[in-house]
Amino acid sequence: MRLKIPMPLSFILGQQKKLQKKILKAIPSLPLVAPARPVRPRKPRAVRARLQEVTGFGTNPGHLRMLEYVPPKAGKGAPLVVVLHGCLQSADDFDKGSGWSSLARDGGFVLLYPEQRKSNNPNLCFNWFRPSAVARDRGELMSVRQMIDNACARHHVDKKRIYVQGLSAGGAMASALLATYPELFAAGQIVAGLPFGAARDAMSALSVMNSGVNRSAREWGDLVRAVTPEVKKKPVISIWHGTADRVVSVANARATLAQWLDVYGLDEADGKAVTIKGQEAWVWHDAAGKPLIEFCLIDGLGHGLPIMSKRSATAKAGMPYMLEGAISAPTHMNRTILAGR
């Protein structure tokens, strides 16, 4: 019987090392260590839009959207600024181009953006020329009124400090709000807009935009008195327009001035010349010396919202009707009208 003699441990270990070397030579591409798990790239964090939509603010007969921005500094008794965009614009684009939310963040006031829907108007214009859309407590005008009431209640807004700015079709809608609900506003800025009652349908709207309407100051004033027989509270009216506007004739700015001069019982000859960032303007005061009407025709400006040159990068990013220069309508409104100066 043959006995099995166990192999020495050193011999076994030596054979294992030789085998390992042969395997590595035969398959040199094999890694010596296990590969690390691939790192999945993180998805970029979505940037939250500054404007937030609010639903359920009322019956909304005009079928508009409500968006708002409430900065951290907006405490109880904060002002409210209503901003109405122009045609071919959204609330978000208008806000980015105008810089209103930055002003609201620094100033601590609440910002409200009514927004048009394509189902109402394919060009996203507010329907300022439809009597049913701008009648008291009806249509789009009533929707905006409901938004204001909703924002005031939820954010404890100072109802004596509600302001409105509108551009183009939004400017015409601002005219309608100021004419129909003057008691609601402390002031309003109408930029490249039209007087209240300038048109009654889409065809007449185009004609008015191109060349204005030949009416007397009394006739323009009567259109406001027809919806508000007595204007007890007189909001400050700020009218801005470019002399090179080829979309809305500058004749509409002059008609808007005539309308409010007549409503307030002021004489055009009593206006005082002032300068805004090197641009000539005119101001009319009441008997106590309080500014009531501001009229600024900007030399060479086309159709759009005048903004400061420092916002040029934003303005050139494809946002329509944001016109850079040395003067800014939102900044002026914030620093003077909202500040009560």
Side-chain angles (χ1 to χ4, degrees):
M1 185 174 178
R2 185 177 296 178
L3 297 175
K4 293 184 177 179
I5 301 174
M7 295 289 184
L9 180 59
S10 59
F11 177 80
I12 295 173
L13 293 175
Q15 294 299 312
Q16 287 179 346
K17 288 182 179 180
K18 289 180 180 180
L19 179 60
Q20 186 180 27
K21 290 180 180 180
K22 288 181 179 181
I23 293 173
L24 291 176
K25 287 181 181 180
I27 315 175
S29 60
L30 285 178
L32 294 176
V33 294
R37 292 183 180 179
V39 178
R40 294 182 180 179
R42 292 183 180 180
K43 294 181 179 180
R45 183 178 295 177
V47 178
R48 185 180 180 186
R50 182 162 285 184
L51 301 184
Q52 301 298 313
E53 184 170 7
V54 177
T55 59
F57 56 84
T59 57
N60 192 15
H63 193 54
L64 302 177
R65 294 181 70 207
M66 174 182 178
L67 296 99
E68 67 179 16
Y69 172 60
V70 185
K73 290 172 61 176
K76 186 176 181 180
L80 173 68
V81 178
V82 183
V83 183
L84 296 154
H85 64 80
C87 299
L88 303 175
Q89 293 178 320
S90 69
D92 189 60
D93 284 347
F94 191 95
D95 184 64
K96 290 176 181 176
S98 66
W100 263 119
S101 60
S102 295
L103 295 173
R105 180 195 62 214
D106 296 339
F109 56 83
V110 178
L111 202 59
L112 166 62
Y113 274 95
E115 185 179 77
Q116 185 60 284
R117 298 177 188 266
K118 282 194 173 183
S119 56
N120 286 346
N121 188 298
N123 292 319
L124 297 176
C125 308
F126 290 105
N127 292 304
W128 58 272
F129 48 84
R130 292 181 182 172
S132 61
V134 294
R136 180 182 290 271
D137 298 341
R138 291 179 61 192
E140 294 177 15
L141 213 63
M142 184 56 175
S143 290
V144 177
R145 173 63 192 266
Q146 290 178 345
M147 294 178 198
I148 294 172
D149 290 342
N150 179 276
C152 287
R154 287 188 300 107
H155 304 304
H156 306 288
V157 164
D158 182 354
K159 293 185 178 180
K160 294 181 180 179
R161 301 174 69 194
I162 301 175
Y163 308 86
V164 61
Q165 182 200 65
L167 169 67
S168 192
M173 190 61 96
S175 289
L177 283 165
L178 291 163
T180 308
Y181 301 113
E183 73 284 355
L184 197 61
F185 299 97
Q189 190 181 65
I190 302 164
V191 183
L194 300 100
F196 174 68
R200 297 189 61 82
D201 52 44
M203 290 300 294
S204 61
L206 290 174
S207 175
V208 172
M209 288 168 62
N210 288 333
S211 55
V213 177
N214 187 19
R215 289 192 178 112
S216 68
R218 183 70 181 179
E219 289 172 326
W220 281 120
D222 284 344
L223 291 170
V224 176
R225 286 184 286 268
V227 295
T228 308
E230 185 180 0
V231 180
K232 296 180 180 180
K233 178 184 175 182
K234 297 179 179 180
V236 177
I237 307 296
S238 181
I239 305 162
W240 289 51
H241 214 106
T243 60
D245 193 328
R246 299 292 179 264
V247 177
V248 177
S249 169
V250 71
N252 290 289
R254 301 186 187 281
T256 303
L257 173 62
Q259 184 169 63
W260 287 101
L261 285 173
D262 186 75
V263 170
Y264 287 169
L266 299 172
D267 193 326
E268 185 174 351
D270 292 334
K272 294 183 179 180
V274 296
T275 302
I276 304 172
K277 292 287 185 180
Q279 173 65 52
E280 186 180 52
W282 295 85
V283 178
W284 286 258
H285 300 79
D286 64 10
K290 174 191 172 184
L292 277 182
I293 299 176
E294 182 179 69
F295 185 67
C296 183
L297 293 184
I298 304 175
D299 294 332
L301 186 78
H303 185 70
L305 184 75
I307 58 175
M308 298 294 285
S309 295
K310 65 182 179 180
R311 301 191 184 279
S312 60
T314 302
K316 292 176 181 177
M319 295 180 187
Y321 308 119
M322 295 290 161
L323 307 179
E324 59 179 298
I327 190 169
S328 167
T331 300
H332 173 77
M333 184 176 179
N334 179 54
R335 290 180 178 175
T336 58
I337 296 176
L338 267 70
R341 288 183 285 157

